[in-house]
Amino acid sequence: MTADAHMPLPTRVHAFGDDALGEHDAVALAALVRAGAVSPRELADAAVARAHQVEQLAAVAYPSYAKPLIPAERTGAFYGVPTFVKDNIDVAGMPTNQGTAAFRATPARVHSGYTRQFLSTGLTVLGKSAMPEFGFNASTEPPHAPPTRNPWHTGFSVGGSSGGAAALVAAGVVPIAHGNDGGGSIRIPAACAGLVGLKPSRGRHVVSGLARTLPIDIVSEGVLTRTVRDTAAYAAAAERYWRSPALRPIGRVEGPATRRMRIALVLDNVAGPVPAGPTRDAVERVARTLESNGYSVEPVRLPFDVAIENAFLHYWGLLAATITTTGKLLDRRFDARRVDDLTIGLRGFFLRRAMHAPLTFYRLRAAAARYERAVGPYDAVLLPVLGHTTPELGYLSPTVPFEELIERLRAYVCFTPINNITGTPAITVPGGRTAAGLPVGVQFAATRGNERTLLELAYLVESEQPFPRLSS
């Protein structure tokens, strides 16, 4: 049901209940389908009913409830499990609106290359999940539509850009949802919503759409889930469809490693140390968990300063300038006058510094070697996901004046972009809670191709610090 505009929204919202979905994760639901205990249609119907229960979250960009995309063949690790796809990749028969009001897309004629890989796992697609315009913001608050709300507290952001996906999974509508990550867009909403979010290595999956044309491919595709085993099972299933010969295989990861690892602990960003509070507490709590299991945890500072932050922002601006200039290739009705103020501001930021583009590319490309030298001696890096806890809605709205919003984003999104720049993997897991009950995520990162290590570490944290659920 939709919340009455004159009634205050409840602060905590979820749709978990005694139906076909129950509180199962995707692995468990797929097992029930294989056993004949439940059908894909029953799961789809239950998920649709749940989506209607939490419409106040504004997490769905395009519902396809009357025509769910159920795979014709009973194959794939997740056959029959319902999901949503983020509104920036093509699914045949559904529009791809990129979270913008600048055009209204017609239904895509064919699946994108990555969509085919995603669907190979057997998932049933119920529609498209909400996102900020072109994925540029770290909060899902499009000015032309209601903001996507955090189900843990509806007055707060659920992050971005895969915010709709995070809200749907955390609220129990579906156990797994597609997301992608060009600067933290899987990991940030996972942190805000108490979920698991893996950003794979560059080249780990089929590359399609805009990513194929980027001078530096910073975008990784993946999923948001409530359990580590769902994320691990998805990685293995996607790899069965296509595996990069340039990367070591992930395979099926089913628990923590038996070996003891050497972990680098990072608690500084370009602005200085993370101050005392829930964000720092969550990382230090996980560090103690690792040490209690025999792991070595050593403080390290990454070799980057504000120059790499500026280079990434400049590159983000290049993307905004490119989209607004070539938008009619997306849709002939594209109207650049209707893009939001953040996109306009990013475009201007780039154009005022366009002559520095070669230096930007050099700095971004050189970062991978510097990162490898710093963290190569370690099995993984433990660090915050964000510079501070989840803000209230409005704080990161694209209607905030551009210069002020950018400074807020710099302070908030200060740990995630480096893995997009370097093409290295990172995973978010729940690490703590704020006094208001909002989740706080922590992040593990590694060198390129080492997703298996990250999943093993995530399993360990999950076993030692069971992840909170909205249903409990």
Side-chain angles (χ1 to χ4, degrees):
M1 58 183 176
T2 304
D4 190 301
H6 302 291
M7 295 290 289
L9 290 169
T11 58
R12 201 174 186 195
V13 172
H14 72 79
F16 289 100
D18 186 19
D19 57 13
L21 292 166
E23 296 191 22
H24 298 300
D25 67 0
V27 169
L29 290 173
L32 291 172
V33 172
R34 287 193 297 273
V38 68
S39 72
R41 175 59 69 173
E42 288 175 294
L43 293 181
D45 289 346
V48 168
R50 289 187 177 197
H52 286 308
Q53 288 180 46
V54 296
E55 284 180 350
Q56 63 265 53
L57 297 178
V60 178
Y62 175 80
S64 187
Y65 303 156
K67 296 177 65 177
L69 185 58
I70 300 175
E73 298 182 9
R74 298 177 60 90
T75 58
F78 294 115
Y79 174 72
V81 176
T83 192
F84 285 80
V85 170
K86 189 174 173 180
D87 191 26
N88 63 355
I89 68 168
D90 285 349
V91 177
M94 301 182 194
T96 305
N97 283 305
Q98 301 282 344
T100 184
F103 67 96
R104 297 304 298 171
T106 55
R109 293 192 300 273
V110 297
H111 299 319
S112 74
Y114 178 74
T115 300
R116 289 192 292 272
Q117 184 174 19
F118 182 77
L119 295 177
S120 74
T121 65
L123 290 162
T124 295
V125 179
L126 300 179
K128 294 291 194 75
S129 61
M131 58 180 284
E133 184 169 272
F134 303 119
F136 287 146
N137 206 350
S139 187
T140 306
E141 303 182 48
H144 64 278
T148 301
R149 298 178 179 275
N150 194 321
W152 289 89
H153 192 305
T154 54
F156 284 75
S157 169
V158 73
S161 61
S162 305
L168 290 164
V169 174
V173 176
V174 291
I176 183 170
H178 164 255
N180 42 36
D181 192 316
S185 292
I186 288 174
R187 291 163 289 157
I188 292 168
C192 295
L195 303 175
V196 180
L198 172 66
K199 185 210 88 70
S201 298
R202 182 178 296 148
R204 177 62 77 183
H205 51 76
V206 173
V207 177
S208 57
L210 176 65
R212 289 186 301 183
T213 67
L214 296 179
I216 301 170
D217 183 7
I218 59 173
V219 180
S220 290
E221 306 285 348
V223 293
L224 294 95
T225 70
R226 294 192 295 267
T227 64
V228 178
R229 76 170 182 171
D230 275 358
T231 296
Y234 177 80
E239 197 170 56
R240 286 194 286 274
Y241 176 85
W242 180 84
R243 182 175 72 80
S244 169
L247 297 172
R248 72 185 69 178
I250 300 173
R252 185 64 180 265
V253 186
E254 298 184 293
T258 55
R259 70 191 188 284
R260 297 297 175 258
M261 301 186 198
R262 186 183 180 200
I263 306 297
L265 173 64
V266 172
L267 279 169
D268 297 89
N269 58 52
V270 298
V274 176
T279 298
R280 191 180 188 96
D281 291 347
V283 177
E284 291 179 339
R285 185 181 302 110
V286 171
R288 291 193 295 272
T289 295
L290 298 177
E291 288 176 326
S292 70
N293 280 271
Y295 289 58
S296 170
V297 180
E298 305 170 24
V300 170
R301 188 180 178 92
L302 295 179
F304 301 108
D305 57 21
V306 72
I308 196 70
E309 185 181 84
N310 286 335
F312 185 76
L313 182 58
H314 194 224
Y315 189 71
W316 215 232
L318 168 63
L319 300 183
T322 301
I323 287 170
T324 53
T325 302
T326 65
K328 287 190 181 297
L329 298 177
L330 287 173
D331 191 287
R332 60 184 176 81
R333 295 164 296 176
F334 181 86
D335 184 354
R337 295 170 299 180
R338 299 191 67 195
V339 299
D340 71 25
D341 290 346
L342 176 57
T343 300
I344 293 169
L346 286 169
R347 178 182 64 191
F349 184 90
F350 170 76
L351 293 176
R352 290 190 296 274
R353 300 161 178 82
M355 67 184 72
H356 300 306
L359 179 59
T360 288
F361 295 154
Y362 170 78
R363 284 177 171 160
L364 295 178
R365 288 174 176 141
R370 295 175 67 191
Y371 182 85
E372 176 71 33
R373 286 194 297 271
V375 308
Y378 299 91
D379 293 288
V381 184
L382 169 62
L383 68 167
V385 181
L386 293 159
H388 58 77
T389 55
T390 307
E392 292 186 50
L393 286 168
Y395 183 77
L396 296 176
S397 167
T399 60
V400 173
F402 177 73
E403 296 299 334
E404 183 178 357
L405 177 57
I406 284 301
E407 291 311 306
R408 291 179 179 184
L409 287 169
R410 284 181 187 270
Y412 188 51
V413 187
C414 49
F415 289 104
T416 52
I418 194 61
N419 298 101
N420 300 91
I421 294 167
T422 59
T424 51
I427 192 170
T428 291
V429 294
R433 305 273 288 277
T434 69
L438 287 159
V440 178
V442 301
Q443 184 178 197
F444 289 106
T447 52
R448 191 161 175 256
N450 283 321
E451 286 91 334
R452 186 176 186 90
T453 295
L454 299 183
L455 290 165
E456 290 170 338
L457 287 164
Y459 266 119
L460 176 61
V461 174
E462 185 179 37
S463 66
E464 295 283 326
Q465 299 177 198
F467 301 157
R469 295 281 183 85
L470 268 168
S471 56
S472 59

